Amino acid sequence: MSDAPIRLGTRRSALATAQSQQVADALAAASGRPVELVLITSEGDVSRASLSELGGRGVFATRLREALLAGECDVLVHSLKDLPTAPAPGLVIAATPPREDPRDVVVTRTGVPLHELAPGSVVGTGSPRRIAQVRRRNPWVEVRDIRGNIDSRIGRVRLGELDAVILAAAGLARLGGSLHDLHLEPLGLAEWPTAPGQGVLAVEIREDASADLADAVAALDDRRARVEITAERAVLAGLDSGCQAPVGVHAEFDGHELRVRTVVYAPGGGDRIGDDRAIPLISGYAGEKGSGDGADAADRADPVARAERTGTVIARDLLDRGAAGLAT
Ligand SMILES: NCc1[nH]cc(CCC(=O)O)c1CC(=O)O
């Protein structure tokens, strides 16, 4: 077994390097090998163009994946919610570590909750999902499209340029800066489902990685996170085919039951279609005694496959109910 350093490729942003270092430490413990960060610059990091001009979702991941395929590094860490649902040829997401807080939070100087912000208050977010959700919660505020890293977004609230920004709790937690001068309003997932995979990291390796590396990365995988993100991403993938509308989806798996809440929003937040369901799902193992028919026994052996089918069915039901044609 090699004891050469494992090279972990990451974007340069403070959030990316913070979460990559967290995985690097866990991987060093699991493998017994040193892990070093390799900083990789993508077009999305240097360009001022909007994400949709650069090619939308996945613009950050593409350059990282080229580097992994070219052997410039051995492992990648992504924010799962920034990864397109299509699999990357030659690569595999070998671990999804335990999930951080999947909620969005409103950051303000005053502590006034989002629904009570005065008419004309300026709320910063560039995400179509968050824009629709803000409009529904408080139709009187102005939503301003902003880009930039988490620190600069928070800085604009501190400076008074913005009255509020909406951010992922997980990003704030991983950055770990002091927020004592600001107020945080966490948004409940039942009313405010977030992006598929929010709060979860994806650890990616080449399909032909050594067994040693694959085993060490697999040791970081969290079953619960894997089941949840599989359902969430199956909903997104199923909707993507027929629907460009923003979607919030949050799945929760407690080892017995999988609960999935989905809302598809009209782009301006005017209308919405929701789905909320819970299915029994035993986190079983191959040898577990099945009580039902063949399909049931297979599901018991593989909750991840069942989560995937559940997500696909939810997307189909939402499309049947008109998710693709929601009016602004
Ligand atoms: N779109 C950028 C992005 N990608 C992942 C996170 C937060 C961390 C996570 O969800 O894992 C953020 C920041 C945000 O949305 O506020």
Side-chain angles (χ1 to χ4, degrees), residues 3-10 17 20-21 23-25 27-28 31 33-40 71-77:
D3 52 11
I6 297 170
R7 297 161 305 159
L8 188 153
T10 175
T17 52
S20 293
Q21 189 59 54
V23 172
D25 293 344
L27 188 55
S31 66
R33 289 167 61 183
V35 181
E36 62 185 34
L37 298 194
V38 177
L39 299 180
I40 293 164
E72 294 167 37
C73 57
D74 310 303
V75 182
L76 295 176
V77 175

Side-chain angles (χ1 to χ4, degrees), residues 15 19 79 81-82 130 150 166-168 170-171 174 198-200:
L15 177 61
Q19 60 197 26
S79 288
K81 77 166 177 173
D82 297 329
R130 290 173 177 153
I150 294 177
I166 319 286
L167 291 168
R174 291 201 196 102
Q198 184 158 310
V200 177

Side-chain angles (χ1 to χ4, degrees), residues 188-247:
L189 291 159
E191 278 299 306
W192 192 288
T194 49
Q198 184 158 310
V200 177
L201 300 178
V203 188
E204 195 167 47
I205 57 175
R206 284 184 300 276
E207 256 166 15
D208 64 1
S210 72
D212 282 348
L213 179 62
D215 288 348
V217 173
L220 309 184
D221 194 53
D222 179 65
R223 188 71 172 164
R224 176 177 165 181
R226 177 72 78 163
V227 168
E228 292 174 352
I229 64 102
T230 299
E232 291 167 6
R233 285 166 68 77
V235 174
L236 183 66
L239 288 171
D240 259 355
S241 50
C243 162
Q244 293 305 309
V247 55

Side-chain angles (χ1 to χ4, degrees), residues 140-208:
W140 299 282
V141 298
E142 180 194 325
V143 182
R144 188 163 304 164
D145 186 6
I146 53 166
R147 274 206 65 194
N149 61 37
I150 294 177
D151 274 340
S152 78
R153 290 171 192 232
I154 293 171
R156 293 171 71 168
V157 174
R158 285 201 170 99
L159 291 170
E161 252 175 72
L162 300 171
D163 296 295
V165 285
I166 319 286
L167 291 168
L172 291 176
R174 291 201 196 102
L175 268 181
S178 168
L179 299 169
H180 66 268
D181 55 329
L182 297 169
H183 294 262
L184 305 185
E185 179 196 1
L187 299 164
L189 291 159
E191 278 299 306
W192 192 288
T194 49
Q198 184 158 310
V200 177
L201 300 178
V203 188
E204 195 167 47
I205 57 175
R206 284 184 300 276
E207 256 166 15
D208 64 1

